[in-house]
Amino acid sequence: MKFIASKKLSDNQSLRLVMIWMIVALIITLGLNIIVKSIDYGTSPQQWVDTLLGNTEKFIDPMTINDLLLRVHTDLFTLILIYILIGSLYIRTSHPKSLKLGLLSISLITLILYPIMLIVSVLYSGAFAVEIAGVSFILFNLIMLIESIWLLIMLIRGKL
Amino acid sequence: MNPRILQLLALVFIALVLLQSVLGGVLFWHSIGITPHAIFSHYEHKSLHGLLEVVSPHALFIAVALMATLHFLSFIPTINENTKRVTTHLLFGLFILDQGSVFFIASGFELFAIIKLGSFILFELLLGWVWIIIFEKTLRELK
């Protein structure tokens, strides 16, 4: 499949430029994603647990299921788009197929674990599920960031 | 490349898309309700400002998301041009119908509650189908 462009992006300079800026914007988005989550949920696993499940000692109310669903729904929509955009470009790189498949698989598994574990945690008050969700979110964003930076380098050097 | 791994990945992605669609549905059900009457009751007392606060970000984000999704679809040679054209018209049309209905509901047209519900369900199903096609083709490239 010829995602986005012809066989080689470097053949089409204007499209290559668009792709470079799209990757730059996605890198900023991924960075901001992590910052926003650290403000919303906290920077430690305990803070994530407190925000989602509440903490009577600290007078923190648990998150309502409606609020959580809204956040997860919005997050998932954004993250799926990021995954499709970066994944479709990353597949064109010269990396070994096993590495490409490995990174795509891990990011996909973390992408599906994140919303499921968040919902499970609120429905069953599971602190462990919150931690899995947090780790999944960070891992997904990091893999996407690494792939994006690699893509940016390849695009700038005209090797994609 | 082991086809079983690819099939498994495809299944995980399909599950993800289904999860997103189900989440959208559950959110709709929880915050508004799934009967035309509940939808009408939710929107009939909303102010123009209240409606715009929801519709405005959706209009921007869904338009960008559809553009990104459909431009991928346009590069898939196995899907014929007519299907691509119809899918594009349908997705944008359903989206406009879904978002635009709320203004008519707020003006008292109860029929638009049914139109909103129908267009919302069809939009979710169609978008899920497009995402699955794109992912399946991407995986085939890896083979």
Side-chain angles (χ1 to χ4, degrees), chain A:
Chain A
M1 187 160 51
K2 300 172 182 176
F3 269 158
I4 299 171
S6 56
K7 283 175 187 166
K8 206 155 184 264
L9 270 175
S10 54
D11 292 343
N12 187 336
Q13 286 303 313
S14 58
L15 200 55
R16 185 175 142 258
L17 203 62
V18 172
M19 290 303 112
I20 288 173
W21 279 111
M22 184 192 80
I23 294 292
V24 169
L26 285 177
I27 290 172
I28 295 169
T29 307
L30 288 163
L32 289 176
N33 253 354
I34 296 173
I35 296 170
V36 167
K37 277 289 165 290
S38 65
I39 293 168
D40 279 351
Y41 296 146
T43 48
S44 69
Q46 188 53 48
Q47 284 177 330
W48 275 59
V49 173
D50 289 349
T51 308
L52 283 152
L53 308 180
N55 188 325
T56 45
E57 288 172 12
K58 294 176 186 169
F59 304 104
I60 300 171
D61 289 326
M63 192 176 280
T64 62
I65 190 75
N66 259 13
D67 196 12
L68 180 78
L69 282 175
L70 185 63
R71 284 169 188 238
V72 170
H73 181 68
T74 320
D75 275 357
L76 208 53
F77 204 89
T78 318
L79 297 177
I80 290 174
L81 265 182
I82 290 173
Y83 179 76
I84 291 177
L85 285 170
I86 294 175
S88 60
L89 273 174
Y90 182 67
I91 256 171
R92 302 161 59 110
T93 61
S94 55
H95 281 179
K97 281 186 177 178
S98 54
L99 176 67
K100 289 194 274 192
L101 189 64
L103 285 177
L104 272 177
S105 309
I106 296 169
S107 46
L108 185 59
I109 290 164
T110 53
L111 181 56
I112 199 162
L113 271 178
Y114 166 65
I116 290 175
M117 286 300 137
L118 276 184
I119 294 165
V120 166
S121 70
V122 170
L123 290 178
Y124 300 104
S125 298
F128 187 61
V130 177
E131 286 163 12
I132 295 175
V135 170
S136 300
F137 180 82
I138 292 165
L139 201 57
F140 174 81
N141 278 275
L142 282 179
I143 293 172
M144 289 292 117
L145 259 177
I146 291 165
E147 285 180 8
S148 309
I149 291 165
W150 179 255
L151 283 170
L152 189 62
I153 294 167
M154 290 288 103
L155 280 165
I156 289 170
R157 292 171 70 185
K159 291 189 174 177
L160 196 71

Side-chain angles (χ1 to χ4, degrees), chain B residues 21-102:
Chain B
S21 297
V22 170
L23 274 179
V26 174
L27 185 65
F28 196 91
W29 175 42
H30 261 256
S31 55
I32 299 169
I34 47 165
T35 62
H37 180 70
I39 294 169
F40 184 72
S41 309
H42 180 82
Y43 286 110
E44 72 171 323
H45 301 302
K46 285 244 178 191
S47 65
L48 182 63
H49 181 251
L51 293 175
L52 286 173
E53 265 185 340
V54 178
V55 173
S56 167
H58 273 89
L60 174 68
F61 189 76
I62 304 286
V64 173
L66 286 183
M67 187 274 286
T69 304
L70 290 169
H71 112 278
F72 284 146
L73 189 72
S74 70
F75 284 103
I76 299 177
T78 49
I79 307 287
N80 71 52
E81 285 304 312
N82 199 36
T83 309
K84 288 174 191 172
R85 225 177 2 255
V86 171
T87 308
T88 306
H89 285 312
L90 268 178
L91 272 175
F92 276 100
L94 287 169
F95 157 62
I96 291 168
L97 207 55
D98 173 36
Q99 296 297 311
S101 295
V102 297

